[in-house]
Amino acid sequence: MEKIRLGVAGIGNMGTAHIKKVINGKCPEFTVTAVADMNTERFAPLKEICGEDLACFDNAMDMLDSGLIDACIIATPHYDHCKLAIACMERGIHVMLEKPAGVYAKEVRQMNAVADAHPEVVFGMMFNQRTNHIYRKVKELIDSGKYGQIRRTNWIVTDWYRSQVYYDSGSWRATWAGEGGGVLLNQCPHQLDLWQWMCGMPVKVHGHLLYGKWHDIEVEDDVTAYVEYENGATGVFISTTGDGCGSNRLEIQMDKAKIIALEDKLELYEFDVSVPEFDKTNTRPFGHPNATYCEVETDGENLQHVAVLNAWAGAILRGESLIANGKEGVNGLTISNAIHLSSWLDKTITLPMDDELFHQELSKRIATSRAKTNVKAIVADTESSYGTTPTGK
Amino acid sequence: MEKIRLGVAGIGNMGTAHIKKVINGKCPEFTVTAVADMNTERFAPLKEICGEDLACFDNAMDMLDSGLIDACIIATPHYDHCKLAIACMERGIHVMLEKPAGVYAKEVRQMNAVADAHPEVVFGMMFNQRTNHIYRKVKELIDSGKYGQIRRTNWIVTDWYRSQVYYDSGSWRATWAGEGGGVLLNQCPHQLDLWQWMCGMPVKVHGHLLYGKWHDIEVEDDVTAYVEYENGATGVFISTTGDGCGSNRLEIQMDKAKIIALEDKLELYEFDVSVPEFDKTNTRPFGHPNATYCEVETDGENLQHVAVLNAWAGAILRGESLIANGKEGVNGLTISNAIHLSSWLDKTITLPMDDELFHQELSKRIATSRAKTNVKAIVADTESSYGTTPTGK
């Protein structure tokens, strides 16, 4: 079998991790033929593991024009995501885009339009958390229809602790100019995607953000967002990089069930009667539906990035399904943008939002973005970057 | 020993429950000598359990003027709370006030001023949840100082399911004119009190309320509140009477610990280094403090109303401590009022708030309050009114 010639744009933490998966045989339908990074010091260590034939470019566009790659993972700083994805599409190069899809929904919609014009390009988003057995099962339970409508969603996902040294490890990190935001743009895109993937898009968003509350940074490191859905259900999303030992608990209240997704466990309370039905027929002032508790079995599979990459290969070679279509990246980003805009304007944002207004407001912040000094660039192992909850629990 | 002659104003669900505790010997320092209620049909069943000597008044003021009582439990609809408490104080009658302290903070502050003028009157609030072993322990952990400052509070307390028949069981229920609000005024006062008792008062409040979302009522039955504390910490409080099987989970994130209070369990994650200290010294980009988990032992005591009543008797007879001083009722109510005002004005409220403005806004709603028809008055057993989570869990 002919292998897919893979290029990787951006060989920081994530780009390097992806390359190692291919090298280690976990993604056998790819061969890494080229990489691109502005930081040329990163090339030597990669040649050691990929071989001396690895083509190294200090400019991603040169890599795309080299004819050496069929497919490209884009793992650069966020502002280059859409620009590079579009450049790939225009050259017929398949795209796997790291989250976030972009920094502002306006540019992502432009990228999606280019994707529409290039149906021959397989465009995927690196929403690896969609492979998690817990969230797949949650989506299956909701989509089954047996529990009626959603009444409340509540996600506290605060296990993203970062200390100052993390923020000081890259000049682009946690700046309006470099990253376009803080925890919403860097840590939360997976959960914002999962939230809308499982529970649907909200129609109203109110964001309460704290900027540089827990760190010496100019962007948000503390998020509380309140949303309303089309059926009038409400939702809350809470995140931060400031909690020493955060939580990850998603609760979904439905007409006939309560679902609680924890790190490693899926709890289900099934009601004997749906709430709307009970409400119509009950005659006891303090009566309530009876609930039966169970822990839901899942298939336990949690293949993460490897599954996303292999599904992408299957889509390229055999027309199989992606884990996440690239065009769906706009959804979580829209929620993220709405949270920011709500906080900036101090008002509730109704979706679809004014993408142009968001871009104007972001541009103001970019214009006065604080330049970073004393940056110490470090390529770090990301394995310990999630899950600060001790495993002893 | 001379027993305290107890009067009970309002013999609906709660008033009747209190009388039964005294009759059943759980509060031996009281003897029930009088009751008052506009609904005279309630007298006969009470005489059966209290004896024919029980003095029954169709007007609470007549009971207060009768000379038959030394102390009075006020368990009337909310709007009479402050008025009756003040009338008691002016007659030297000790007061135990059911929650909420009042409907608006302005009248509660007036009541507190009268209490200041009558130091001979023992004035307690029926904050029976303060006797809960879990919350007592949480307060002890926070007050110990060993975990530093609070960084985040998060309380989802949605196990207050009520069906339409509950709301149809009293003409005053869930109306602006009769109750002054919905779940915030009727179900949440205990948690709002505990929240401020354990974590302190916020300085900013933003309320997201839905009115009559899950029931045919004019007041709120769905609450999401975001707050900020003086040190910049944030908090969220979520409640409803619309969830079929709600949750009760309080998480408090501190500099050096995470505390999670569940219905019947207190979880503690202690960090080896406080977050501010770790942040200063850590050199690994994805490093985080190590946390050790334990389940905290408590004394298991949860005496509720009985403890509040007996402490009140001890305070009257022997100058002992109350569970909750009556004047503290204003705190939780202030948070409740601020949530309402924020929702009505669609803006964040800074504390201390404008009590007069709140009263004006409430009065507008009272003026157009919808009269209830088809009311079926029921005195119901409140034992099943909390904790919809199945005990099988």
Side-chain angles (χ1 to χ4, degrees):
Chain A
M1 186 195 69
E2 198 73 24
K3 291 201 178 194
I4 302 164
R5 298 173 307 155
L6 181 65
V8 180
I11 47 176
N13 298 336
M14 290 313 305
T16 302
H18 297 320
I19 290 169
K20 285 181 180 165
K21 284 178 183 70
V22 175
I23 297 299
N24 295 338
K26 289 180 182 162
C27 305
E29 297 185 303
F30 292 104
T31 177
V32 181
T33 52
V35 297
D37 203 297
M38 285 167 62
N39 183 346
T40 56
E41 288 174 15
R42 288 173 170 170
F43 296 154
L46 275 185
K47 283 196 172 185
E48 268 178 43
I49 58 171
C50 293
E52 278 302 314
D53 289 347
L54 182 73
C56 298
F57 298 89
D58 62 4
N59 182 311
M61 297 305 285
D62 291 343
M63 176 174 78
L64 303 190
D65 286 330
S66 70
L68 293 172
I69 65 173
D70 308 310
C72 184
I73 296 175
I74 300 172
T76 59
H78 311 162
Y79 277 106
D80 291 332
H81 283 191
C82 290
K83 192 178 63 184
L84 287 176
I86 289 171
C88 285
M89 291 169 189
E90 290 171 344
R91 286 160 181 77
I93 297 170
H94 305 292
V95 179
M96 178 54 62
L97 188 53
E98 263 295 341
K99 51 81 192 169
V103 176
Y104 44 97
K106 185 181 149 190
E107 63 172 355
V108 175
R109 288 188 217 288
Q110 287 163 354
M111 172 179 73
N112 284 353
V114 176
D116 282 337
H118 290 276
E120 78 283 6
V121 168
V122 178
F123 174 31
M125 273 297 300
M126 186 54 86
F127 283 142
N128 44 288
Q129 288 288 339
R130 288 197 190 180
T131 68
N132 181 300
H133 56 120
I134 303 269
Y135 302 123
R136 277 189 285 116
K137 193 71 186 182
V138 170
K139 182 169 168 62
E140 189 186 315
L141 291 174
I142 295 171
D143 289 353
S144 75
K146 65 190 278 204
Y147 301 123
Q149 292 198 46
I150 289 175
R151 299 165 80 88
R152 177 182 319 287
T153 72
N154 184 274
W155 204 342
I156 178 166
V157 52
T158 49
D159 59 347
W160 287 120
Y161 178 74
R162 297 289 184 269
S163 65
Q164 191 63 39
V165 70
Y166 165 84
Y167 289 112
D168 294 344
S169 72
S171 60
W172 56 286
R173 281 205 192 282
T175 61
W176 295 118
E179 201 163 13
V183 64
L184 278 172
L185 271 290
N186 193 301
Q187 283 78 25
C188 293
H190 288 301
Q191 282 82 30
L192 292 175
D193 174 64
L194 289 173
W195 196 25
Q196 68 81 27
W197 184 58
M198 295 183 285
C199 305
M201 282 293 282
V203 294
K204 284 186 189 172
V205 176
H206 198 109
H208 302 280
L209 301 182
L210 299 181
Y211 301 90
K213 168 65 186 165
W214 309 115
H215 307 90
D216 180 22
I217 55 176
E218 64 183 12
V219 294
E220 81 286 351
D221 55 4
D222 202 292
V223 174
T224 302
Y226 168 81
V227 303
E228 289 179 18
Y229 298 90
E230 196 164 12
N231 71 346
T234 68
V236 165
F237 182 90
I238 296 169
S239 195
T240 186
T241 52
D243 286 358
C245 172
S247 296
N248 185 355
R249 179 185 185 273
L250 168 66
E251 173 176 325
I252 300 166
Q253 187 76 225
M254 303 189 69
D255 285 341
K256 214 182 163 186
K258 175 169 76 170
I259 299 167
I260 300 175
L262 302 170
E263 203 84 36
D264 51 0
K265 196 160 90 162
L266 181 54
E267 301 185 328
L268 177 67
Y269 296 79
E270 279 187 303
F271 312 160
D272 56 350
V273 187
S274 85
V275 175
E277 182 62 25
F278 185 87
D279 193 51
K280 269 185 229 149
T281 54
N282 169 56
T283 56
R284 295 168 296 136
F286 293 101
H288 54 76
N290 291 310
T292 310
Y293 171 80
C294 73
E295 197 174 314
V296 180
E297 260 191 64
T298 69
D299 62 23
E301 273 193 10
N302 193 6
L303 295 172
Q304 295 289 329
H305 304 91
V306 168
V308 175
L309 292 174
N310 287 338
W312 183 40
I316 292 169
L317 297 173
R318 296 175 297 277
E320 294 166 7
S321 293
L322 289 165
I323 300 289
N325 188 299
K327 288 171 62 184
E328 293 172 26
V330 76
N331 293 338
L333 184 67
T334 296
I335 299 174
S336 171
N337 285 182
I339 294 171
H340 265 128
L341 189 61
S342 168
S343 163
W344 294 337
L345 305 183
D346 192 18
K347 66 174 202 182
T348 300
I349 302 299
T350 301
L351 299 185
M353 66 186 276
D354 183 342
D355 289 342
E356 189 55 53
L357 178 61
F358 175 84
H359 189 219
Q360 283 167 19
E361 288 290 328
L362 175 63
S363 299
K364 283 187 207 168
R365 284 156 184 86
I366 293 170
T368 58
S369 186
R370 189 177 64 168
K372 275 198 178 187
T373 53
N374 274 331
V375 166
K376 303 177 200 94
I378 309 175
V379 175
D381 185 349
T382 61
E383 286 303 308
S384 64
S385 72
Y386 358 88
T388 55
T389 304
T391 49
K393 168 69 173 93
Chain B
M1 184 197 70
E2 199 74 23
K3 291 199 176 192
I4 301 164
R5 297 175 306 156
L6 181 65
V8 179
I11 47 176
N13 299 337
M14 290 313 304
T16 302
H18 296 323
I19 290 169
K20 286 181 180 166
K21 284 178 183 71
V22 176
I23 297 298
N24 295 339
K26 289 179 180 161
C27 305
E29 298 185 302
F30 293 104
T31 176
V32 181
T33 52
V35 298
D37 203 296
M38 285 168 61
N39 183 349
T40 57
E41 287 174 17
R42 288 174 170 172
F43 296 154
L46 276 185
K47 284 197 172 186
E48 268 178 41
I49 58 170
C50 294
E52 277 302 314
D53 289 347
L54 182 73
C56 298
F57 297 89
D58 62 2
N59 182 311
M61 297 305 284
D62 291 343
M63 178 175 75
L64 303 191
D65 286 330
S66 69
L68 293 172
I69 65 173
D70 307 312
C72 184
I73 296 175
I74 299 171
T76 60
H78 312 161
Y79 277 107
D80 291 331
H81 283 191
C82 290
K83 193 178 64 184
L84 287 175
I86 289 171
C88 285
M89 292 167 189
E90 290 172 345
R91 286 160 181 76
I93 297 169
H94 305 293
V95 180
M96 178 52 64
L97 188 53
E98 263 295 340
K99 50 81 191 169
V103 175
Y104 43 98
K106 186 183 149 192
E107 62 171 357
V108 176
R109 288 188 216 288
Q110 286 162 354
M111 173 179 71
N112 285 354
V114 177
D116 283 338
H118 289 277
E120 77 284 7
V121 168
V122 177
F123 174 30
M125 272 297 301
M126 185 55 85
F127 283 143
N128 45 287
Q129 290 287 340
R130 287 198 191 179
T131 68
N132 182 301
H133 55 120
I134 303 272
Y135 302 123
R136 277 188 286 117
K137 194 71 186 182
V138 170
K139 183 169 169 61
E140 190 186 314
L141 292 173
I142 294 171
D143 289 353
S144 75
K146 66 191 276 204
Y147 301 123
Q149 292 198 48
I150 289 175
R151 298 164 80 87
R152 177 183 319 289
T153 72
N154 184 274
W155 204 342
I156 178 166
V157 52
T158 49
D159 58 347
W160 287 120
Y161 178 73
R162 296 290 183 267
S163 65
Q164 190 62 38
V165 69
Y166 165 85
Y167 289 111
D168 294 344
S169 72
S171 60
W172 56 287
R173 282 204 190 284
T175 60
W176 296 117
E179 202 165 11
V183 64
L184 278 172
L185 271 290
N186 193 302
Q187 282 77 28
C188 293
H190 287 301
Q191 283 81 32
L192 292 175
D193 173 63
L194 289 173
W195 196 25
Q196 69 82 26
W197 183 59
M198 296 182 285
C199 306
M201 283 292 284
V203 294
K204 284 187 190 173
V205 176
H206 197 111
H208 301 281
L209 301 182
L210 299 182
Y211 300 90
K213 168 63 186 165
W214 308 113
H215 307 90
D216 181 20
I217 55 175
E218 65 184 12
V219 294
E220 81 285 353
D221 55 4
D222 203 292
V223 174
T224 302
Y226 168 81
V227 304
E228 289 178 17
Y229 299 90
E230 197 164 11
N231 71 345
T234 68
V236 165
F237 182 89
I238 295 170
S239 194
T240 186
T241 53
D243 285 359
C245 171
S247 296
N248 185 355
R249 179 184 185 274
L250 168 66
E251 173 175 326
I252 300 165
Q253 186 77 225
M254 303 188 68
D255 285 342
K256 211 181 166 187
K258 174 169 74 170
I259 299 167
I260 300 175
L262 302 171
E263 202 83 37
D264 51 0
K265 197 160 92 164
L266 181 53
E267 302 184 330
L268 177 68
Y269 297 78
E270 280 186 303
F271 313 161
D272 56 351
V273 188
S274 85
V275 174
E277 182 62 28
F278 185 87
D279 193 52
K280 268 185 231 150
T281 54
N282 169 57
T283 56
R284 294 168 297 137
F286 293 102
H288 54 77
N290 291 312
T292 311
Y293 171 79
C294 72
E295 197 173 314
V296 180
E297 259 191 66
T298 68
D299 62 24
E301 273 192 13
N302 192 6
L303 295 173
Q304 296 289 328
H305 304 91
V306 168
V308 176
L309 292 174
N310 287 336
W312 184 40
I316 293 169
L317 297 173
R318 296 174 296 279
E320 293 166 8
S321 293
L322 288 165
I323 300 289
N325 188 299
K327 287 170 62 183
E328 293 173 26
V330 75
N331 293 339
L333 184 67
T334 296
I335 299 174
S336 171
N337 285 180
I339 294 171
H340 265 129
L341 189 62
S342 168
S343 162
W344 294 338
L345 304 183
D346 193 18
K347 66 174 201 181
T348 301
I349 302 298
T350 302
L351 298 186
M353 65 185 278
D354 184 341
D355 288 342
E356 189 56 52
L357 178 61
F358 175 82
H359 189 219
Q360 283 167 18
E361 288 291 327
L362 175 63
S363 299
K364 282 187 206 167
R365 283 155 184 87
I366 292 170
T368 57
S369 185
R370 191 176 61 166
K372 273 199 180 186
T373 53
N374 274 332
V375 166
K376 302 177 200 94
I378 308 175
V379 175
D381 185 351
T382 61
E383 287 303 308
S384 64
S385 71
Y386 0 87
T388 55
T389 305
T391 49
K393 168 71 173 84

